[in-house]
Amino acid sequence: MNDMVAEMTERLLADAGIGAGMRVLDVGCGRGDVSFMVAQRVGAQGQVVGIDRDVQPLAAARDRARELGLSNVTFAEGDLGAPSPELGLFDGVVGRRVLMYQPDAVAAVRRLSGALRPGGLVVFQEHDATMVPASVEPLPLHERVNHWIWRTVEREGADIHMGFHLATVLEQAGLAVERVRAEAVVQTPKILHRTGAIVRAMLPRIVQQGVATEAEIDVETLEARLLEERAKANATYVSDMVFGAWARKPG
């Protein structure tokens, strides 16, 4: 089961120009997935600083960095919208699925640009619920799962249309947008996505937001039921639209 979104992120970083020797800030870094991608791209002469406001995933990120033997990446507790001046200036700022959770995304990006050198690069990747789910054949379980995920995120206060808002947010924050694109996560009876794992990870949040009960979800059998539904219909299913954009700070 390949991680299609990770592949999209890798391509986005490469095409945007994140490369050797750069000093890059990864905002909302979580367990460090994107930080480690960037660390490989900037190499030994570069540096990555990942910030997140949650201590637990930061501890996991530090453990993973040690296991991977990466000395060019560090992690610090901090707020996306107010990076500490002590972190210094960066050649690039990157983030994945973080702007959608900001009460004022424009203000957050504007503050982040203060941590950039003139001409510095900003790269964001955001999921968007506007065009999904999509399938020619009816897939009621798939549609129900999609509803569980996106209603939970929306009730938590996220902008579920951030992909479509991405270019405007970057421009209103004073950046020069160079490229915006969208890619689809496509599932077939033989090409699988991590839907079951995603729902399992989100289960406490789904229940807490009153979107569905544990019994309704039945997470232990969910992946098998999804696969069975897709196979019976011999259907192709688009589960996610993933927007990517990069822009530069004037100067």
Side-chain angles (χ1 to χ4, degrees), residues 31-208:
R31 298 180 71 253
D33 291 344
V34 176
S35 303
F36 300 139
M37 292 182 195
V38 176
Q40 295 290 348
R41 298 202 59 80
V42 302
Q45 302 306 311
Q47 184 189 16
V48 183
V49 178
I51 62 169
D52 202 287
R53 60 188 177 190
D54 293 330
V55 176
Q56 194 169 351
L58 283 174
R62 292 187 184 104
D63 289 341
R64 293 175 72 196
R66 281 192 293 271
E67 289 168 10
L68 292 167
L70 292 173
S71 58
N72 63 342
V73 56
T74 57
F75 296 96
E77 188 177 350
D79 193 283
L80 180 156
S84 170
E86 295 176 3
L87 296 175
L89 291 178
F90 294 86
D91 303 302
V93 172
V94 303
R96 181 168 71 176
R97 291 193 298 267
V98 291
L99 290 183
M100 64 192 296
Y101 289 103
Q102 300 308 304
D104 187 337
V106 174
V109 174
R110 194 176 286 130
R111 287 193 293 268
L112 282 171
S113 70
L116 273 176
R117 294 187 176 92
L121 191 62
V122 172
V123 187
F124 279 105
Q125 188 179 59
E126 297 287 335
H127 284 227
D128 191 295
T130 308
M131 300 168 66
V132 292
S135 176
V136 173
E137 305 296 334
L139 296 169
L141 178 59
H142 285 71
E143 291 176 14
R144 199 152 64 247
V145 171
N146 181 276
H147 170 84
W148 294 338
I149 292 169
W150 280 110
R151 288 296 76 74
T152 298
V153 170
E154 186 175 36
R155 288 183 184 183
E156 290 173 338
D159 177 359
I160 65 172
H161 306 295
M162 179 50 75
F164 276 95
H165 295 154
L166 193 48
T168 305
V169 166
L170 297 175
E171 286 167 359
Q172 289 181 349
L175 302 172
V177 175
E178 295 188 350
R179 183 76 185 273
V180 181
R181 67 186 183 206
E183 298 180 82
V185 173
V186 179
Q187 303 182 47
T188 73
K190 293 184 179 178
I191 299 174
L192 309 181
H193 188 45
R194 300 170 54 252
T195 309
I198 290 168
V199 173
R200 185 184 295 275
M202 288 185 66
L203 186 59
R205 294 161 56 195
I206 295 170
V207 173
Q208 183 181 13

